[in-house]
Amino acid sequence: MAVHRSLELTDGSFDDDKRVIRTGTLWTCIAHIITAVIGSGVLSLAWSTAQLGWIAGPLSMLCFAIVTYVSAFLLSDCYRSPHPVTGTRNPSYMDAVRVNLGQKQTWFCGLLQYLSMFGTAIAYTITTSTSMRAIKKSDCYHKEGHKAPCAYGDSFYMLIFGAVQIVFSQIPDFHDMAWLSVVAAIMSFSYSFIGFALGIAKVIANGSIKGDIGGIPLSSSAQKTWRVSQALGDIAFAYPYSIILLEIQNTLKSPPPENQTMKKASMISIFITTFFYLCCGCFGYAAFGNDTPGNLLTGFGFYEPYWLIDFANACVVVHLVGGYQVYSQPVFSFVDRWSSDKFPNNGFVNNFYTIKLPFLPAYKLNLLRICFRTIYVASTTGLAMFFPYFNEVLGLLGAFNFWPLAIYFPVEMYFVQRKIETWTKKWIILQTFSVGCLLVSIFAFVGSVEGVLSEKLS
């Protein structure tokens, strides 16, 4: 077992910032984005459409798609500063904020960004346990009969998922997980398509399209307002990927310029995801109407075709194994960099031990990585077990990070990059856009908090 203090290559393969040369392409970028975007959020979109109704539901998804692309367009130009093509690289969201907006806003951004990533890891743990439990329940009904007492809890499956993530969290960094994102993206397409197809099949079997223009009726206007706000939070959670956009962009090779590749990848990815979102949301609502479930795949029953439901839920599990890592690796990289800068001579932080296992490539083990990443996964698993509320947690997370991370910082950095003066036409348009998104975010956040508290107290 060899011990060394650096993981950098020594064969001269370095980019213009003295780091290992990037090899990412348009297609690996699309895979990373789809892995990040089409996650557990797609399973809640039929429920969101049911709360909003036939007009507001699809329209809200289209509006969030446009907002997400505008956000990605603005943010991709911030990868290099001061010029978006020839400037110095900003390999992370926080680096871009630091260069363009200063240290104080960097701390605020970092707090929001890493809290959001941590929360997404919790949401993915909840979703995965729901799908694993659905597989077990479906198999039980198939073997024991439809009247069998097939009841299972979530905690055991959350612990299994946590154990798997402890292993995958030892992947060194984003550059080493393109294969995982490709697999996860294929899985996301698979279960989204199955949910879409099952929705069509159920509409045909019903012989009618269910649902109403105003959505699910509730006993009071206050309850309807809270549900609408939670639905908007769920849609907000399903779309933006701003918090990891620059980390994904940092994997791209150049030429062509990284911002051009990212804009093209964002357009393709958002078009694809919006198509699947509209299909799953609309056909799910058309199939179930007022009985639309919070998680689309659990609404088709646990009977026949049980194997197809099992396969769809298995795809969710495999996808979220990769999705968890897409949102966690930036946190891990930040801790690695900060610790190395703070304690440059500490062996616990900086020493790497090369371990060679039979039939496997050599692995470079670091004690800090093992300890911190294990604690991180354990904490997300524990909180998921304490707050296992699917729709409410997704809505809360979506509302929490939507405005500050997807709108405010990209807009403010764009002003600095392009030297846009106050009260010019472009400044007024973008500020109006930002304020409008802020109001939506506040509305969704308040309703989602109410939903979590109501579930916890009930």
Side-chain angles (χ1 to χ4, degrees):
M1 181 170 65
V3 181
H4 54 93
R5 298 180 64 83
S6 174
L7 289 178
E8 297 289 353
L9 297 178
T10 57
D11 62 356
S13 300
F14 296 98
D15 260 325
D16 55 355
D17 61 347
K18 303 294 192 277
R19 293 178 181 268
V20 178
I21 194 166
R22 280 81 168 173
T23 58
T25 65
L26 173 68
W27 299 109
T28 62
C29 184
I30 291 172
H32 283 313
I33 293 173
I34 290 176
T35 301
V37 177
I38 303 184
S40 56
V42 69
L43 302 176
S44 69
L45 291 178
W47 181 88
S48 299
T49 305
Q51 311 310 315
L52 296 168
W54 275 120
I55 295 178
L59 187 61
S60 295
M61 282 187 263
L62 290 174
C63 288
F64 274 98
I66 294 170
V67 169
T68 300
Y69 179 71
V70 171
S71 171
F73 182 92
L74 298 176
L75 195 54
S76 60
D77 282 342
C78 298
Y79 176 63
R80 288 181 180 268
S81 297
H83 192 275
V85 176
T86 60
T88 303
R89 296 174 187 266
N90 298 313
S92 71
Y93 198 121
M94 283 182 63
D95 290 325
V97 173
R98 183 183 299 108
V99 168
N100 289 285
L101 301 179
Q103 192 64 36
K104 288 184 179 180
Q105 296 222 43
T106 301
W107 285 107
F108 178 57
C109 167
L111 176 64
L112 291 175
Q113 185 184 16
Y114 294 128
L115 279 176
S116 178
M117 291 176 179
F118 184 77
T120 301
I122 295 172
Y124 281 9
T125 304
I126 296 170
T127 309
T128 305
S129 69
T130 302
S131 293
M132 294 170 74
R133 184 183 61 182
I135 293 173
K136 187 70 175 178
K137 194 171 183 179
S138 175
D139 290 347
C140 174
Y141 282 132
H142 181 70
K143 293 178 181 178
E144 306 295 335
H146 295 174
K147 295 183 179 181
C150 299
Y152 303 94
D154 289 313
S155 298
F156 175 72
Y157 303 105
M158 290 181 184
L159 291 172
I160 292 176
F161 183 73
V164 171
Q165 289 302 338
I166 287 174
V167 175
F168 277 97
S169 291
Q170 302 311 313
I171 294 174
D173 55 39
F174 233 139
H175 301 276
D176 297 302
M177 57 174 292
W179 64 272
L180 186 59
S181 283
V182 171
V183 172
I186 293 171
M187 295 298 102
S188 67
F189 279 129
S190 298
Y191 69 73
S192 296
F193 183 78
I194 290 172
F196 165 44
L198 288 173
I200 294 177
K202 190 167 180 63
V203 170
I204 294 173
N206 292 339
S208 63
I209 295 176
K210 296 185 178 182
D212 189 73
I213 291 178
I216 297 175
L218 295 172
S219 58
S220 69
S221 57
Q223 285 184 326
K224 183 65 177 179
T225 301
W226 295 134
R227 285 289 187 89
V228 168
S229 66
Q230 289 176 36
L232 291 175
D234 280 6
I235 298 174
F237 177 84
Y239 265 108
Y241 53 98
S242 305
I243 57 176
I244 57 170
L245 184 145
L246 293 182
E247 281 81 355
I248 294 174
Q249 193 167 339
N250 191 45
T251 67
L252 297 175
K253 64 182 179 181
S254 179
E258 300 90 351
N259 63 334
Q260 291 184 15
T261 304
M262 177 54 76
K263 289 174 183 177
K264 187 181 295 185
S266 295
M267 180 178 291
I268 295 171
S269 302
I270 293 171
F271 178 82
I272 292 171
T273 54
T274 301
F275 172 77
F276 276 103
Y277 283 4
L278 287 170
C279 289
C280 290
C282 294
F283 278 102
Y285 183 39
F288 296 104
N290 293 345
D291 297 320
T292 302
N295 182 330
L296 178 61
L297 289 179
T298 65
F300 295 104
F302 299 97
Y303 309 142
E304 305 298 336
Y306 85 100
W307 61 269
L308 186 60
I309 304 298
D310 283 1
F311 177 73
N313 280 295
C315 289
V316 174
V317 173
V318 174
H319 171 234
L320 295 189
V321 168
Y324 186 104
Q325 289 302 313
V326 167
Y327 280 98
S328 298
Q329 283 292 336
V331 180
F332 300 155
S333 296
F334 170 75
V335 172
D336 289 347
R337 291 196 309 269
W338 181 86
S339 301
S340 183
D341 292 341
K342 192 74 173 178
F343 308 101
N345 299 315
N346 188 294
F348 178 81
V349 172
N350 296 290
N351 284 355
F352 291 86
Y353 304 88
T354 301
I355 298 177
K356 186 69 176 72
L357 298 175
F359 310 110
L360 293 174
Y363 176 73
K364 295 178 175 63
L365 180 146
N366 175 264
L367 295 178
L368 172 67
R369 285 181 179 175
I370 289 179
C371 293
F372 173 77
R373 298 183 184 195
T374 300
I375 293 171
Y376 178 91
V377 173
S379 61
T380 60
T381 304
L383 286 171
M385 294 168 67
F386 191 70
F387 293 105
Y389 314 122
F390 179 71
N391 293 97
E392 291 78 12
V393 169
L394 295 193
L396 182 63
L397 292 170
F400 178 76
N401 68 39
F402 172 65
W403 178 75
L405 295 175
I407 308 299
Y408 171 75
F409 286 115
V411 167
E412 294 299 317
M413 287 192 289
Y414 185 79
F415 288 158
V416 174
Q417 287 272 77
R418 301 293 182 173
K419 297 180 173 59
I420 297 175
E421 296 182 1
T422 305
W423 300 114
T424 59
K425 183 179 180 181
K426 186 173 287 188
W427 184 91
I428 292 173
I429 291 173
L430 287 175
Q431 287 290 21
T432 303
F433 168 73
S434 180
V435 171
C437 291
L438 171 61
L439 296 176
V440 172
S441 191
I442 292 173
F443 176 62
F445 182 77
V446 172
S448 299
V449 169
E450 190 277 339
V452 171
L453 293 177
S454 296
E455 287 287 346
K456 194 63 183 176
L457 296 175
S458 62

